[in-house]
Amino acid sequence: MSESNHPGISGLLAAHVSCARLGIIGGGQLAGMTGRAAQSLGCDVIILERDAVCPAARLGLRLHLGDWNDPEALIQFARQVDVITLENEFVDATALMWLEECGHKVFPTAASLALIQDKLIQKQTLVRAGLPVPRFESVDSCEEVLAAAKALGWPLVLKARRNGYDGKGNFTLHSAKDVPVGWKKLGGGTDKLFVEAFWNFSQELAVIVTRGRGSDRVTYPVVETIQRDHVCQVVQAPAALSLELAAQATDLATRAVTTVGGVGSFGVELFLSATGELVLNELAPRVHNSGHYTIEACECSQFENHVRAVLGWPLGSPRMTAPAAAMCNVLGRRRAPGRAHGLPEALGVSGAHVHLYGKTVSEAGRKMGHITALGQTVDEATATAERAARALHFDTIDEN
Amino acid sequence: MSESNHPGISGLLAAHVSCARLGIIGGGQLAGMTGRAAQSLGCDVIILERDAVCPAARLGLRLHLGDWNDPEALIQFARQVDVITLENEFVDATALMWLEECGHKVFPTAASLALIQDKLIQKQTLVRAGLPVPRFESVDSCEEVLAAAKALGWPLVLKARRNGYDGKGNFTLHSAKDVPVGWKKLGGGTDKLFVEAFWNFSQELAVIVTRGRGSDRVTYPVVETIQRDHVCQVVQAPAALSLELAAQATDLATRAVTTVGGVGSFGVELFLSATGELVLNELAPRVHNSGHYTIEACECSQFENHVRAVLGWPLGSPRMTAPAAAMCNVLGRRRAPGRAHGLPEALGVSGAHVHLYGKTVSEAGRKMGHITALGQTVDEATATAERAARALHFDTIDEN
């Protein structure tokens, strides 16, 4: 059939030819990696983000410039896509509910987000479902913190109910004299806070659970996350656990995501005590740093499975394709331009998969990239990833 | 250090913070996959391409709109990047030589391309290096074709010296009466042609060789490519060959790329006869369809290694991470909009890695995407990839 026999085709071409149009709220590296996975499946991707210079834009994802707290920006964005998803938990659930009422598809749903983004409500929800969490109490004043300390004991962790990440929004109180300091630091009085019993964990664990729009779901291996200064440094997959504990962690993570009606990839953080007791620490309603290793180490990554889940497509296998993997975050050490130094040295480490996010500015503790390595053991993989990560830095700016 | 203590930083931020700026001539899927690999390593990528609607643009890579045959467009493009590379062999080597003379870095070099893009010169170069190729002769008229037939016998393959791909630019002559037909079809008289003895191969093989700017190089496994209507349908890795033949194919491929002074990933096609004789068929001075499987199946893909090579960085390991892999091209069957149908069914095939290029129009034989699968055997991997590829089509346009 020749082109001239088919006058309708140019009109059809004007229509979008993608499989689906996916909108992502937020333009960081999580949106970047999710957007790439969606593009490989033939989707159009649009990002809602205030900052034109963001990691997602550097990967070439199309931006809709705007503030997700601005209803007008949200609705204009929503009109351009088939499904909206999130790369962070900071957009207000009531705004998402309004989008849903306007007929837009949002996954994870506003109802899920409402159960997660306020960490006090999140813990109350988990407790109501019979799931184990560290003991906690709502507090509205320094006096209430002191009262809670009587029940929960010292140390006590003061936490912001919303918008915390990487240790921001947490303050450990060792005694009564720390209370006013922490209260002021976290903006008590303005921002809502709660307290949690200090959980003396021996290991921090995490599990990515991807749940589809039906009742389908997959669960990735339990990993161990190693933090320093409240920021994840290394993720080791699989975690060194008995089969029984791994099964228990997987079960808790799955039940937690099911409890909040999650759709998409969710990061579930857990604590394991020296006595073998597991509790849920926190749910993230999105792809998660602890799942970056899945790009190279699993049959289908957390990112691709997130896309499949929110678009209602069949989920891929979370099976690892190597006996072990490690992911090492590449963190900024101070304020400096985001140009990475030492890349040839990092690439010289055989087996290291280098991911740089292209952020324009490095800051102390800021995630500038990550390295994944596979291996026969987690120790071998960790050594490879750490060697490559150590080669990278952002510090040669003349600071005089 | 606070921001106010560092007045110089905003100025520094205005400068580019990427590790390197890579320019790619051509905006198809090969540029798209190469560009992505470069972005993951923190590079800025710019594509020189006439068509604003191209697969590389759909992946969000930044375009410099222009024709690579236009010197002004080439030089403007060159000024924006640190290194220029190619996704096809159609840009003229003399234009690249001029860019080099202007001080721009081009890899593969103009000298390499000049030895490859004219297939007659390519074969003469390989013969001079003592490498085996099918017998060939230069022809300037139908009479010379008939004269060549006396030496080379029937059937005889008439070939365009430049710009052929996927069987375009080839015409098989079975007897003297086919000569004027083939001559006319390939534009003889206007375009330069040559003839080649018909090689009765039992297997078509391919090898990706990546050669760095130093003398470093890596060689990927020998694969078997299965064509239909001159278009590659399936690639199986590794090819079912004796160790001796695989070593011989690897050696020929490596010597071919070294002979032309190649820098970057090169696709080398070979023919194997039923009697075990190997000859070189063709060199492609670029990443190659037969190496797409390396994204999932090898430690470092042909795309990332191409980026590493042309930027002068250490090469990654080409080692396969699974016993076997297969890649199946997703080909258009007729002219239709490029929207893929059957994606959920394709994603339902466990272990299938779906790549859709987002082309706006499907054509008969056009590469619209590909599927890769890993397995314990090539048969298992091929079955998985083919099942997913069969689920995808682009044909539901109403054609009445």
Side-chain angles (χ1 to χ4, degrees):
Chain A
M1 176 182 48
S2 76
E3 194 163 3
S4 60
N5 286 343
H6 208 308
I9 202 164
S10 56
L12 280 159
L13 290 181
H16 73 94
V17 297
S18 69
C19 298
R21 298 170 305 168
L22 179 65
I24 306 177
I25 298 178
Q29 65 267 18
L30 300 180
M33 291 184 271
T34 305
R36 278 195 163 191
Q39 287 180 326
S40 286
L41 299 181
C43 302
D44 281 335
V45 179
I46 311 180
I47 305 287
L48 177 64
E49 169 62 53
R50 279 168 296 220
D51 186 356
V53 184
C54 62
R58 252 187 93 95
L59 289 183
L61 293 166
R62 186 145 63 96
L63 291 193
H64 180 88
L65 270 178
D67 191 322
W68 58 67
N69 294 316
D70 170 11
E72 186 57 31
L74 267 182
I75 199 80
Q76 279 182 10
F77 169 69
R79 286 189 188 125
Q80 298 173 60
V81 299
D82 301 317
V83 168
I84 296 166
T85 189
L86 322 165
E87 71 133 23
N88 64 52
E89 55 276 29
F90 305 145
V91 57
D92 198 83
T94 54
L96 295 184
M97 205 164 296
W98 171 66
L99 287 181
E100 288 174 343
E101 282 164 7
C102 295
H104 298 289
K105 288 199 179 83
V106 183
F107 297 107
T109 63
S112 288
L113 199 67
L115 295 177
I116 290 178
Q117 70 182 175
D118 180 321
K119 288 178 189 172
L120 178 64
I121 294 175
Q122 184 187 130
K123 295 202 184 252
Q124 289 167 337
T125 303
L126 297 173
V127 166
R128 263 199 300 275
L131 292 165
V133 296
R135 290 165 66 201
F136 60 91
E137 276 192 28
S138 173
V139 290
D140 282 326
S141 65
C142 287
E143 291 68 38
E144 290 187 11
V145 177
L146 292 169
K150 286 192 183 136
L152 305 177
W154 303 102
L156 194 61
V157 187
L158 187 64
K159 290 189 169 187
R161 287 172 59 173
R162 292 184 65 150
N163 297 342
Y165 72 100
D166 285 354
K168 294 177 182 69
N170 282 10
F171 194 98
T172 303
L173 309 168
H174 295 280
S175 68
K177 75 173 170 32
D178 290 343
V179 175
V181 184
W183 189 261
K184 193 176 169 198
K185 178 88 186 293
L186 298 189
T190 314
D191 293 338
K192 292 193 166 181
L193 310 181
F194 71 106
V195 288
E196 195 175 89
F198 186 86
W199 184 265
N200 199 3
F201 59 82
S202 63
Q203 280 178 289
E204 287 189 79
L205 307 174
V207 181
I208 303 292
V209 177
T210 310
R211 208 158 157 268
R213 277 160 57 171
S215 56
D216 51 325
R217 62 153 201 269
V218 296
T219 309
Y220 287 85
V222 183
V223 300
E224 178 164 0
T225 65
I226 299 161
Q227 334 281 320
R228 198 179 308 140
D229 299 331
H230 304 284
V231 180
C232 176
Q233 303 279 327
V234 176
V235 171
Q236 295 180 320
L241 289 178
S242 67
L243 284 179
E244 193 187 339
L245 272 174
Q248 201 187 326
T250 301
D251 176 60
L252 289 180
T254 306
R255 284 163 62 198
V257 175
T258 305
T259 294
V260 299
V263 171
S265 289
F266 278 57
V268 184
E269 299 175 7
L270 304 101
F271 291 143
L272 175 65
S273 75
T275 56
E277 193 182 352
L278 272 170
V279 290
L280 290 162
N281 172 29
E282 206 165 291
L283 277 183
R286 51 167 171 82
V287 291
H288 194 255
N289 188 229
S290 70
H292 290 0
Y293 78 97
T294 64
I295 294 177
E296 286 89 4
C298 295
E299 212 166 90
C300 185
S301 75
Q302 66 164 346
F303 302 102
E304 181 172 333
N305 258 337
H306 182 76
V307 172
R308 292 178 180 223
V310 303
L311 292 173
W313 294 337
L315 301 180
S317 166
R319 198 177 61 85
M320 284 181 72
T321 56
M327 188 283 300
C328 192
N329 279 321
V330 176
L331 300 171
R333 288 186 285 208
R334 66 181 77 182
R335 189 167 175 83
R339 186 188 171 99
H341 300 276
L343 182 58
E345 292 73 17
L347 294 176
V349 177
S350 181
H353 297 272
V354 176
H355 298 253
L356 289 170
Y357 305 149
K359 294 182 182 178
T360 50
V361 184
S362 165
E363 304 271 7
R366 192 173 194 200
K367 292 179 181 132
M368 303 300 291
H370 74 266
I371 314 275
T372 300
L374 311 184
Q376 291 302 310
T377 64
V378 290
D379 287 346
E380 180 197 334
T382 304
T384 303
E386 285 187 330
R387 205 175 324 130
R390 268 198 305 272
L392 291 167
H393 65 100
F394 303 84
D395 288 344
T396 60
I397 174 173
D398 178 3
E399 292 179 309
N400 295 318
Chain B
M1 178 180 48
S2 76
E3 193 164 3
S4 59
N5 287 342
H6 208 309
I9 202 164
S10 58
L12 281 159
L13 290 181
H16 72 94
V17 297
S18 69
C19 299
R21 296 170 307 168
L22 179 66
I24 307 176
I25 297 178
Q29 65 269 18
L30 300 180
M33 291 184 271
T34 305
R36 277 195 165 193
Q39 286 181 326
S40 287
L41 299 181
C43 301
D44 280 335
V45 179
I46 311 181
I47 306 286
L48 177 63
E49 167 65 52
R50 281 168 296 220
D51 187 355
V53 183
C54 62
R58 251 187 93 93
L59 289 183
L61 293 165
R62 186 145 63 97
L63 292 192
H64 180 88
L65 269 178
D67 191 322
W68 58 69
N69 294 315
D70 170 11
E72 187 57 33
L74 266 183
I75 199 81
Q76 279 182 10
F77 168 69
R79 285 188 188 127
Q80 298 173 60
V81 300
D82 301 317
V83 168
I84 295 165
T85 189
L86 322 165
E87 71 133 24
N88 64 53
E89 54 276 31
F90 305 144
V91 57
D92 198 83
T94 54
L96 295 184
M97 204 164 296
W98 171 67
L99 286 181
E100 288 174 344
E101 282 163 6
C102 294
H104 298 287
K105 288 200 180 83
V106 183
F107 297 108
T109 64
S112 288
L113 199 67
L115 295 177
I116 290 178
Q117 70 182 176
D118 181 321
K119 288 179 189 172
L120 178 65
I121 295 176
Q122 183 187 132
K123 295 198 184 258
Q124 291 167 336
T125 303
L126 296 173
V127 166
R128 262 200 301 274
L131 293 165
V133 297
R135 291 165 67 203
F136 61 90
E137 276 192 29
S138 173
V139 290
D140 281 326
S141 65
C142 286
E143 292 68 38
E144 291 187 10
V145 176
L146 292 168
K150 288 194 179 134
L152 305 178
W154 303 105
L156 194 62
V157 187
L158 187 64
K159 292 189 168 187
R161 287 172 59 174
R162 292 185 64 151
N163 298 344
Y165 71 101
D166 284 353
K168 294 177 182 70
N170 281 11
F171 193 98
T172 303
L173 309 168
H174 295 279
S175 70
K177 75 171 173 30
D178 290 343
V179 175
V181 184
W183 190 261
K184 193 175 168 200
K185 178 88 187 293
L186 298 190
T190 314
D191 293 338
K192 293 194 165 181
L193 309 180
F194 70 106
V195 287
E196 194 175 270
F198 187 87
W199 184 266
N200 199 2
F201 59 80
S202 62
Q203 281 178 286
E204 288 190 79
L205 307 173
V207 181
I208 303 292
V209 177
T210 311
R211 211 159 155 268
R213 278 159 58 170
S215 57
D216 51 326
R217 63 154 200 270
V218 295
T219 309
Y220 287 85
V222 183
V223 301
E224 177 163 2
T225 65
I226 299 160
Q227 335 279 322
R228 200 179 306 143
D229 300 330
H230 304 285
V231 180
C232 177
Q233 303 280 329
V234 176
V235 171
Q236 295 179 319
L241 289 178
S242 67
L243 284 178
E244 193 186 339
L245 273 173
Q248 201 186 327
T250 301
D251 177 60
L252 290 179
T254 306
R255 283 164 62 199
V257 176
T258 305
T259 294
V260 298
V263 172
S265 289
F266 278 56
V268 183
E269 299 176 6
L270 304 102
F271 291 144
L272 175 66
S273 75
T275 57
E277 195 181 350
L278 272 170
V279 290
L280 291 162
N281 172 29
E282 208 167 289
L283 278 182
R286 53 169 170 81
V287 289
H288 195 254
N289 188 228
S290 70
H292 289 0
Y293 78 95
T294 63
I295 294 177
E296 285 89 5
C298 295
E299 211 167 272
C300 184
S301 75
Q302 67 164 347
F303 302 101
E304 181 171 333
N305 258 337
H306 183 75
V307 173
R308 291 178 179 221
V310 303
L311 292 173
W313 294 336
L315 301 181
S317 167
R319 197 177 61 85
M320 283 181 72
T321 56
M327 188 284 300
C328 191
N329 279 321
V330 176
L331 301 171
R333 289 186 284 207
R334 66 182 76 183
R335 188 167 175 82
R339 185 188 171 100
H341 300 276
L343 182 58
E345 292 73 17
L347 294 176
V349 177
S350 180
H353 297 273
V354 176
H355 298 253
L356 289 171
Y357 305 149
K359 294 181 182 179
T360 50
V361 184
S362 164
E363 304 271 7
R366 190 173 198 202
K367 292 179 182 131
M368 303 300 290
H370 74 266
I371 313 276
T372 300
L374 311 183
Q376 290 301 309
T377 65
V378 288
D379 288 345
E380 179 197 334
T382 304
T384 302
E386 285 188 330
R387 205 174 325 132
R390 269 198 305 273
L392 290 167
H393 66 100
F394 303 84
D395 287 344
T396 58
I397 174 172
D398 178 4
E399 291 179 310
N400 296 320

